[in-house]
């Protein structure tokens, strides 16, 4: 293949990723300043790219004033994160989410079913407080149309590979068209990364590389880009593990549990009563994972969802949510297996570990403006550490990042592009196209991903983590042997490189946090207790700018600023 | 796996290939019909099915799922 260098692009605001947060950011940037030149790029298309390509069954963290309070939301996230999420970010999500729900409703992007008395259908999934509002609608095409009409420029099938910086500030990005193999630079005054979580991480039990829970097209490239740009990532030692429909590896957990479903073992026991007698199925995910693994280890597996006690009307709402809004192909799957979710037990397995800011605390360290520790580089959605942010954080911080960037635009001068960095990136992507023979990117990907479950699943140990570091070194060596034949494979080459980067972050931060926290979220068999010295402290993964090597260090979590009503 | 095409209904418009989030589906330049160029990259999301304007597309699960 030919990696063709195209003339540079330029945009006031470059948004990388057109899934959930990206289109909201684009819309809000244009609302704030219609003259702003906004460019959004997506590896797939803005119309159908990202985790919610078919929709989402709930606005899964909205604080509706009559239903819950901001204080309850902050409390719940503090409990789930065991104090390792900035509470100020949770407060912002709680305060701004309901206005977004109303706006999405008025724009016709989504509908929010209500009971006969006119109240929104809101259920409890978090340990405290009810924050999940039923949501319907084919969200993405409507959002795409809105941003097109607002004058946002859209570049589909385009992935970003590196952020270009000047004195610690983002000034542009390198882009690759995954269908044509064209390489170009986009200069920008500010950049918002909305590339999603690391969904293509541990090999799922399906044995199928792309049979993952979170969108497998989100391969952690954003995390990798922030890292190479000098930014900080936090909580990468946290194992994001969710219960999965066996063989489909698809969602259902939050829907089943918020509507009153139970988790049972093969003896029919509602086993969470032993591990979290008060919170039961609504216990933080690491506690739930520990419970499930213990049940299976002690011979009481498999584990099932039991919805058989739920009313017919409730089962109907669940079916509408999952089958019509979130993952319609799950309907086909259940039919193929002959499972009727209201009458049969639903066998489950465990995902991951993955890294998803929507389902856990992992991601880019951001402040209250969604700015990363690289100036003018923002991050929103599953890439950011905003604490079990789901769609709420994506929309709220997508909006905040865009409004901040739009406001700053007039005050920011254009940066200059370092051509040495551009050349280095061009050469990195060119190298696998020049090999006459070599490994397929998919073979390399399998080789890397197969070590994640054995080395990172809790209980973790120093010996297993150190052994993983040795393997990572060989992966880096062997990446030089990967050959690509077309631009699609070149995309995968860049993705595998990001998978290795995020794996190294997970392993090194797991070694650094010499304590156990979050149940099986991070359980060190050699340090089985929580250490108060680690309370309110992140482990940061970052690039040592002098050595070019990965470094980890503790960093204090910001205190809650006093605010009326919280 | 990806898309299964009912050739009697497909008009070759290319909507499925245009929107497939995994870049799985491409158009065959000779037959003007869609095909699974990268079938191992399918997330079985079903976008091909919902984007098809003439009901010619069915999403087919990968063999390791069924």
């Amino acid at each position: 293949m030919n990696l063709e260098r195209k003339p540079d692009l330029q945009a006031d605001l470059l948004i990388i990723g057109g899934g959930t947060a990206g289109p909201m950011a684009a819309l809000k940037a244009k609302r704030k300043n219609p003259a702003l030149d906004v460019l959004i790029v997506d590896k797939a298309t803005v119309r159908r790219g990202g985790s919610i390509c078919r929709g989402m069954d709930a606005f899964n963290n909205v604080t509706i004033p009559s239903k819950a309070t901001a204080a309850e939301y902050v409390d719940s996230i503090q409990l789930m994160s065991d104090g390792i999420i900035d509470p100020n970010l949770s407060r912002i999500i709680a305060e701004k989410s309901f206005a977004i729900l109303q706006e999405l409703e008025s724009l016709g992007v989504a509908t929010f079913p209500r009971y006969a008395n006119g109240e929104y259908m809101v259920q409890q999934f978090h340990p405290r407080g009810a924050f999940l509002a039923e949501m319907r609608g084919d969200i993405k095409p409507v959002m795409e149309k809105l941003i097109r009409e607002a004058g946002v420029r859209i570049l589909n099938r385009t992935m970003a590979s590196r952020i270009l910086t000047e004195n610690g500030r983002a000034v542009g990005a390198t882009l690759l068209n995954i269908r044509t193999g064209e390489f170009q630079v986009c200069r920008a005054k500010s950049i918002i990364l909305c590339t999603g979580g690391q969904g293509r991480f541990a090999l799922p039990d399906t044995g199928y590389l792309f049979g993952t829970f979170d969108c497998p097209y989100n391969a952690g490239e954003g995390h990798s880009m922030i890292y190479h740009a000098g930014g900080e990532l936090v909580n990468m030692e946290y194992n994001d593990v969710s219960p999965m429909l066996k063989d489909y590896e698809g969602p259902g957990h939050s829907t089943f549990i918020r509507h009153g479903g139970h988790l049972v073992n093969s003896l029919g026991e509602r086993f969470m009563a032993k591990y979290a007698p008060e919170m039961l199925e609504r216990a933080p995910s690491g506690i739930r994972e520990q419970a499930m693994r213990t049940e299976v280890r002690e011979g009481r597996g498999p584990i099932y969802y039991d919805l058989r006690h739920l009313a017919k009307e409730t089962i109907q709402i669940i079916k509408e949510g999952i089958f019509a809004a979130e993952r319609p192909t799950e309907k086909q799957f259940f039919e193929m297996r002959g499972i009727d979710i209201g009458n049969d037990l639903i066998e489950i397995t465990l995902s991951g570990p993955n890294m998803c800011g929507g389902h856990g605390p992992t991601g880019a360290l951001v402040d209250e403006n969604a700015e990363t520790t690289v100036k003018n580089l923002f991050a929103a959605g599953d890439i950011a550490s905003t604490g079990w942010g789901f769609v709420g954080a994506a929309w709220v911080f997508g909006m905040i990042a865009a409004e901040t960037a739009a406001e700053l635009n007039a005050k920011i001068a254009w940066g200059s592009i370092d051509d040495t960095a551009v050349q280095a990136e061009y050469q990195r992507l060119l190298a696998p196209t020049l090999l006459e023979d070599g490994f397929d990117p998919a073979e390399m990907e399998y080789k890397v991903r197969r070590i994640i479950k054995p080395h990172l699943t809790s209980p973790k140990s120093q010996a297993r983590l150190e052994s993983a570091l040795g393997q990572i070194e060989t992966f880096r060596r062997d990446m030089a042997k990967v050959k690509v034949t077309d631009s699609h494979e070149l995309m995968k080459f860049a993705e595998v490189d990001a998978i290795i980067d995020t794996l190294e972050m997970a392993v090194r931060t797991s070694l650094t946090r010499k304590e156990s926290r979050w149940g099986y979220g991070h359980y060190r068999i050699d340090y089985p207790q929580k250490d108060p010295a680690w309370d309110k402290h992140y482990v940061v993964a970052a690039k040592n700018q002098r050595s070019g090597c990965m470094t980890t260090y503790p960093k204090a979590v910001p205190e809650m600023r006093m605010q009326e009503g919280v | 796996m990806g898309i299964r095409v009912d050739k009697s209904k497909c008009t070759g418009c290319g909507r499925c290939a245009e929107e497939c989030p995994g870049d799985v589906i491409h158009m065959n330049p000779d037959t003007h019909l869609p095909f699974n160029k990268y079938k191992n990259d399918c997330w079985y999301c079903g976008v091909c099915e919902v984007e098809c304007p003439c009901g010619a597309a069915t999403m087919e699960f990968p063999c390791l799922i069924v």
Side-chain angles (χ1 to χ4, degrees), chain A residues 57-113:
Chain A
D57 73 332
F59 191 142
N60 29 20
N61 47 350
V62 56
T63 308
I64 299 181
S66 61
K67 301 283 184 182
T69 66
E72 280 176 318
Y73 184 73
V74 174
D75 261 10
S76 256
I77 301 299
Q78 283 300 297
L79 198 152
M80 290 157 82
S81 69
D82 209 345
I84 321 287
I85 277 291
D86 180 350
N88 300 292
L89 304 181
S90 306
R91 196 200 70 239
I92 291 169
I93 296 169
E95 288 174 352
K96 296 194 183 280
S97 49
F98 185 51
I100 290 204
L101 180 150
Q102 291 172 307
E103 192 177 357
L104 292 171
E105 198 169 31
S106 70
L107 288 170
V109 174
T111 59
F112 298 89

Side-chain angles (χ1 to χ4, degrees), chain A residues 312-516:
Chain A
K312 273 195 182 127
E313 301 73 42
T314 309
I315 295 290
Q316 193 49 37
I317 293 171
I318 291 175
K319 285 183 174 173
E320 278 171 22
I322 296 185
F323 298 164
E326 188 175 350
R327 293 297 297 276
T329 61
E330 255 182 44
K331 181 171 186 281
Q332 284 151 261
F333 176 76
F334 281 127
E335 284 169 0
M336 215 161 58
R337 288 290 164 101
I339 297 169
D340 174 1
I341 62 169
N343 290 312
D344 299 309
L345 290 172
I346 305 163
E347 188 177 344
I348 50 184
T349 176
L350 284 166
S351 79
N354 302 314
M355 294 146 172
C356 171
H359 296 124
T362 57
L365 185 62
V366 291
D367 66 12
E368 291 171 41
N369 290 323
E371 195 168 18
T372 69
T373 44
V374 178
K375 219 169 153 27
N376 302 341
L377 181 63
F378 299 80
D382 285 350
I383 187 179
S385 172
T386 38
W388 284 264
F390 297 111
V391 292
W395 282 329
V396 167
F397 283 107
M399 168 180 81
I400 291 173
E403 288 177 346
T404 308
E407 211 159 278
L408 283 174
N409 189 61
K411 299 174 199 155
I412 304 175
W414 289 97
S416 55
I417 300 291
D418 172 8
D419 205 53
T420 318
V422 176
Q423 272 310 317
E425 179 57 5
Y426 179 80
Q427 292 300 329
R428 180 177 81 96
L429 297 178
L430 183 68
T433 71
L434 300 177
L435 294 189
E436 276 184 18
D437 203 2
F439 305 148
D440 289 343
E443 290 173 330
M444 190 67 204
E445 179 176 339
Y446 179 81
K447 187 182 170 189
V448 173
R449 290 175 61 195
R450 96 209 125 94
I451 81 156
I452 297 172
K453 264 190 184 170
H455 288 264
L456 273 176
T457 301
S458 289
K460 305 175 186 178
S461 75
Q462 175 124 358
R464 265 199 301 189
L465 293 166
E466 283 176 349
S467 137
L469 281 183
Q471 283 180 279
I472 290 167
E473 235 175 85
T474 66
F475 298 154
R476 298 227 184 257
R477 180 198 67 199
D478 288 352
M479 279 299 279
K481 299 179 190 167
V482 174
K483 168 197 162 63
V484 306
T485 54
D486 62 18
S487 47
H488 180 92
E489 284 194 345
L490 184 55
M491 162 181 75
K492 288 172 86 166
F493 169 84
E495 289 169 343
V496 177
D497 209 43
I499 295 171
I500 299 172
D501 280 345
T502 49
L503 173 58
E504 185 172 347
M505 291 177 205
V507 172
R508 289 195 185 277
T509 53
S510 290
L511 278 164
T512 303
R513 187 176 282 282
K514 290 187 167 55
E515 63 149 2
S516 292

